[in-house]
Amino acid sequence: AGSCAVLDPTAEYSSLKPYQMPGIYRFGGTGNSNSRHIQLDSGAYLIGDGVTLVFDPDWPAAGSQSGLALDSSSALVLNTMRILGTAPCTPTETEATHVNMSAPLSDLPYSAVCAAWTIDPRVAAGVKPGANAWGYCDPANLGNSHCVPRSSYNPSTDYRGVTFYFTPDGNWTKDHANINIQDRFQLNGDPGLYFRGVLYAPYDNAKISGRSGFNTVGQVLVWSAKFNGGSASIDLDFPYRPGSAAPYLLEPTIAR
């Protein structure tokens, strides 16, 4: 409660393991549901720029003590950094403002809407190519506290940045008719949600309700979406021009 945690994709204050991808945070594992949660108590903030959160199939449904557990007056703020100019993943949109919610971390070279993991939605068949916006952390230099320089943030042009990715029941091994629809993205009460980029949860119901204003919500790709609440407001902020795109399976390290 009353605290702020910052997700730092550059490992500025720690070291990445050889198997980790810079900026990609993965959540899951064994144990009861109450031991697996991102819990923000009253007045707490979780902030990150140039990051992607990936949730395993066993990540529990959202609740007061499990999954995404955001209390009153807390906020989840991801990929909202704005840098003047044009980001690679938004070649048709020029950014005119400058915002760094992740201070004291330094600015990225581009707006964080590109996230850490970007995919190409234009491909119409097969596994969709993906790319990491950060360079690899060299295992030979793990002792270096600055393992990944912030200047290496360089997303692919025209690729979409993924902020949230929820792996479905069965980890894509089940026929779609047999996949259980889950409820892992639920924000109730008075939390704040600010993210740019894609919320990709094709087999999850998403619900955002309460009395808070959700001032920045990116593209929401889910099984069903429900937005409601007394005096609540939602500002959809997705700086991409509309275009057709087939459903896609994401692969972060294709051709590597």
Side-chain angles (χ1 to χ4, degrees):
S3 300
C4 178
V6 179
L7 299 175
D8 180 12
T10 65
E12 205 163 337
Y13 304 112
S14 61
S15 293
L16 294 176
K17 302 295 184 182
Y19 55 83
Q20 286 181 299
M21 301 301 300
I24 299 179
Y25 293 83
R26 180 180 172 186
F27 300 90
T30 59
N32 62 53
S33 295
N34 289 352
S35 68
R36 289 173 288 158
H37 55 234
I38 297 176
Q39 181 171 341
L40 299 180
D41 291 333
S42 180
Y45 294 84
L46 180 62
I47 299 172
D49 284 306
V51 299
T52 299
L53 308 188
V54 177
F55 298 89
D56 284 356
D58 59 8
W59 183 252
S64 61
Q65 296 292 325
S66 64
L68 294 173
L70 276 60
D71 203 345
S72 174
S73 302
S74 67
L76 183 60
V77 184
L78 299 176
N79 298 324
T80 60
M81 181 184 290
R82 299 169 184 262
I83 303 297
L84 296 174
T86 304
C89 67
T90 58
T92 61
E93 305 290 338
T94 300
E95 182 57 67
T97 58
H98 190 115
V99 177
N100 181 5
M101 299 299 293
S102 294
L105 298 183
S106 59
D107 289 347
L108 300 171
Y110 311 104
S111 292
V113 64
C114 303
W117 172 19
T118 55
I119 55 89
D120 187 353
R122 300 166 300 177
V123 177
V127 177
K128 303 301 178 283
N132 298 291
W134 296 96
Y136 282 100
C137 183
D138 184 359
N141 294 315
L142 281 177
N144 180 1
S145 61
H146 294 267
C147 199
V148 182
R150 298 184 76 79
S151 60
S152 69
Y153 181 70
N154 189 29
S156 299
T157 302
D158 289 335
Y159 279 31
R160 301 295 172 88
V162 179
T163 299
F164 299 97
Y165 177 83
F166 286 83
T167 308
D169 170 42
N171 194 20
W172 298 108
T173 61
K174 295 183 177 182
D175 181 81
H176 68 87
N178 297 322
I179 294 177
N180 292 316
I181 307 303
Q182 303 186 76
D183 300 282
R184 294 176 292 178
F185 196 89
Q186 308 280 331
L187 301 181
N188 308 316
D190 298 320
L193 174 66
Y194 307 82
F195 79 92
R196 304 181 88 197
V198 181
L199 162 60
Y200 186 82
Y203 292 96
D204 276 87
N205 298 313
K207 182 170 72 172
I208 301 176
S209 62
R211 295 183 297 275
S212 291
F214 301 98
N215 292 329
T216 298
V217 176
Q219 185 183 35
V220 179
L221 199 162
V222 296
W223 185 264
S224 71
K226 181 179 181 180
F227 301 94
N228 74 321
S231 69
S233 62
I234 294 177
D235 176 19
L236 295 177
D237 182 3
F238 189 64
Y240 301 111
R241 293 186 178 180
S244 61
Y248 43 80
L249 169 64
L250 307 184
E251 169 55 58
T253 57
I254 194 168
R256 297 209 175 193

